[in-house]
Amino acid sequence: MSHTQTHGHGHPHDPIEDNPDVRPEHLLLEQAMRELLIEKGVFSAADITRQIEDMDAITPAQGSTFVAKYWTDPEFRKAAQKDGKAAAESMGIDMSVAPELVILENTPEVHHVVVCTLCSCYPRAVLGLPPAWYKSVEYRSRCVNDPRGVLKEFGLDLPEDVDIRVADSTADMRYLVVPLQPEGSAGMPEEQLAELVTRDSMIGVSQAKPVG
Amino acid sequence: MSLKLKNGDKVLVRTGNPTGHCRTPAYLRGKTGVVHRKLGKFKNPEQLAYGKSGKPKLILYQVRFEQTAVWPNYGGAPRDTLLVDIFEHWLEAAT
Amino acid sequence: MMSGVHDMGGLPAGPVDRSEHENSFFEKRVDAMARLLSDQKRRLIRVDELRRGIESLPEYKHLTYYERWLRSVEILLREKGVLKAEEVAARVEEIQNREC
């Protein structure tokens, strides 16, 4: 089968990284491989279904809970700084197949933002599957040398005296940003705090939501 | 590997174009940074990628770079930095 | 400096398309397949191998994210003798006839 067929709508520019229109040849290839692997007993159809369900069940809400606990519980914060993976496990997050988890805590002086320029490493055990833009050529290329430009596109314009610290996750670490706790949120219960913590704030392209 | 680095040590990322899989981004090769923290020992991805054992394990360092030292025309703010995980065999001590 | 097609940090690129889209069933199935093949029970593929396979695709730039994963998994399963190119091709053809 041909893997080089042109893709239907003849654009002159490079195709967008996450063009959701999968070529029919790849739909066929996936089906063929899946059928053969099931027939060979490598996995079952039920295994595939269960994997999809397990992955669907992981949402950024897990990360939000993690961050809220980090803000409010000094013991947990200390544990998470030492070993993010163990801290996540202690909350009941399944980290059994996850790489190490490193927490990047934002301060008034340092704002972290996470990218993976080489592929698309993402703390999926905590946040679920990454958004399409995280995997895009544009984000992966520009985040390391134009982070302020990228953050502005996300609506975040930080003062010059803040160190914008880009973490390029190239190896065995996955990074989770702990955003600054919003003003006026001190003393709020954990569940309410968690509602302020968005997925994007844990990647570092935005802040946590303001109170109220 | 005899190179032992501690937090704050200046390091130079080696240059070179490996023909196979590697996890040191091209944009950092030949750039100088400082050790931010030691992350532990991990199997060598350049071997794992070809089905080998990945042993001996290598020390993985988190290295911090000044953006202005990485990109000559960096348009952000002077304090901006980069944090990148780099295996020991890609680093040498710098002055 | 020479670098692989996947090694794109700092290359010129346009604005980030921030639109959200749900992962399609195709994407979820490919993700599930790759994860099953690399789990503790099967250990057929390592993540580093998956990346190496992805980086080796000559048409990398023209494939979507999970198309790359799928093609890499195919390459690795052939390398490891789990699947043969001919049987995959034959099954693809059979499915096409089945559906027509």
Side-chain angles (χ1 to χ4, degrees):
Chain A
M1 73 193 245
S2 160
H3 290 308
T4 51
Q5 82 187 41
T6 50
H7 97 249
H9 24 265
H11 357 141
H13 58 84
D14 273 346
I16 294 165
E17 178 90 335
D18 280 289
N19 191 338
D21 42 330
V22 175
R23 291 147 196 78
E25 70 198 65
H26 287 121
L27 292 172
L28 280 166
L29 178 60
E30 188 276 329
Q31 187 180 345
M33 286 168 60
R34 175 164 36 94
E35 287 184 8
L36 288 167
L37 291 168
I38 290 169
E39 285 164 25
K40 288 171 190 280
V42 174
F43 50 60
S44 67
D47 289 331
I48 291 275
T49 306
R50 191 165 50 246
Q51 281 290 335
I52 292 174
E53 285 169 357
D54 288 352
M55 203 61 230
D56 280 348
I58 305 175
T59 71
Q62 284 192 163
S64 306
T65 311
F66 184 101
V67 170
K69 197 168 172 61
Y70 189 98
W71 282 341
T72 53
D73 180 342
E75 287 299 313
F76 181 77
R77 174 193 294 234
K78 214 187 285 175
Q81 284 169 345
K82 199 165 157 234
D83 185 343
K85 187 173 171 176
E89 263 163 356
S90 77
M91 291 178 52
I93 297 175
D94 179 6
M95 302 295 282
S96 55
V97 295
E100 300 301 315
L101 183 70
V102 174
I103 307 308
L104 300 173
E105 182 186 341
N106 286 348
T107 67
E109 291 81 33
V110 182
H111 177 92
H112 296 88
V113 55
V114 181
V115 64
C116 173
T117 59
L118 296 177
C119 43
S120 299
C121 299
Y122 188 76
R124 54 192 281 161
V126 183
L127 298 184
L129 293 176
W133 55 258
Y134 185 85
K135 303 180 282 183
S136 71
V137 171
E138 291 78 13
Y139 185 77
R140 287 169 55 193
S141 302
R142 288 178 50 229
C143 200
V144 280
N145 69 340
D146 182 22
R148 287 178 184 269
V150 169
L151 293 184
K152 273 183 195 142
E153 288 168 26
F154 282 85
L156 183 59
D157 193 358
L158 293 167
E160 291 259 309
D161 60 353
V162 174
D163 168 3
I164 295 195
R165 186 167 289 178
V166 180
D168 187 354
S169 35
T170 52
D172 295 72
M173 304 291 139
R174 296 295 173 273
Y175 288 103
L176 184 76
V177 176
V178 169
L180 275 180
Q181 186 169 348
E183 269 180 55
S185 67
M188 278 169 62
E190 253 178 64
E191 307 81 68
Q192 277 179 43
L193 284 171
E195 285 169 22
L196 305 176
V197 186
T198 61
R199 178 197 69 197
D200 286 4
S201 73
M202 293 181 280
I203 304 172
V205 294
S206 73
Q207 310 273 37
K209 286 192 249 175
V211 175
Chain B
M1 292 276 158
S2 56
L3 187 70
K4 286 279 174 283
L5 297 165
K6 54 184 192 308
N7 293 358
D9 283 355
K10 278 183 94 174
V11 285
L12 176 70
V13 182
R14 290 180 194 271
T15 53
N17 294 307
T19 46
H21 176 79
C22 105
R23 301 298 293 172
T24 307
Y27 72 87
L28 285 175
R29 298 190 201 147
K31 307 294 181 188
T32 303
V34 298
V35 173
H36 188 70
R37 91 189 247 205
K38 196 163 131 179
L39 294 162
K41 282 190 146 188
F42 295 90
K43 289 180 183 171
N44 182 352
E46 293 168 26
Q47 290 201 3
L48 290 176
Y50 299 91
K52 298 182 193 152
S53 74
K55 288 177 186 165
K57 287 184 176 182
L58 298 170
I59 304 173
L60 183 65
Y61 292 98
Q62 198 177 46
V63 182
R64 189 177 71 248
F65 299 86
E66 307 278 328
Q67 284 279 26
T68 50
V70 176
W71 312 103
N73 302 315
Y74 185 67
R79 291 190 53 185
D80 291 353
T81 51
L82 263 164
L83 273 187
V84 187
D85 307 337
I86 303 179
F87 282 96
E88 57 176 322
H89 67 301
W90 273 95
L91 296 172
E92 51 190 81
T95 45
Chain C
M1 184 169 297
M2 284 279 295
S3 70
V5 64
H6 65 288
D7 189 356
M8 54 182 74
L11 297 183
V16 178
D17 176 358
R18 298 190 292 114
S19 55
E20 300 279 337
H21 79 88
E22 281 286 307
N23 285 295
S24 67
F25 283 119
F26 168 81
E27 293 172 310
K28 290 181 182 187
R29 280 197 303 263
V30 174
D31 191 87
M33 184 191 288
R35 263 175 319 110
L36 282 169
L37 294 170
S38 60
D39 71 7
Q40 301 288 331
K41 188 172 160 196
R42 281 156 269 259
R43 293 175 182 270
L44 280 164
I45 289 180
R46 285 195 177 108
V47 63
D48 301 278
E49 293 177 303
L50 182 67
R51 289 172 180 153
R52 185 254 299 169
I54 289 170
E55 292 160 12
S56 75
L57 297 169
E59 58 278 70
Y60 179 99
K61 276 191 173 177
H62 304 282
L63 299 174
T64 64
Y65 185 74
Y66 279 109
E67 284 178 327
R68 291 177 198 147
W69 276 45
L70 178 69
R71 294 284 305 285
S72 178
V73 169
E74 184 200 17
I75 290 169
L76 296 170
L77 291 178
R78 282 210 310 260
E79 270 181 22
K80 291 163 191 285
V82 178
L83 292 177
K84 292 188 194 69
E86 312 82 70
E87 65 182 336
V88 175
R91 181 56 61 99
V92 165
E93 198 174 322
E94 192 232 296
I95 294 169
Q96 276 174 308
N97 293 334
R98 211 191 284 169
E99 285 179 351
C100 282

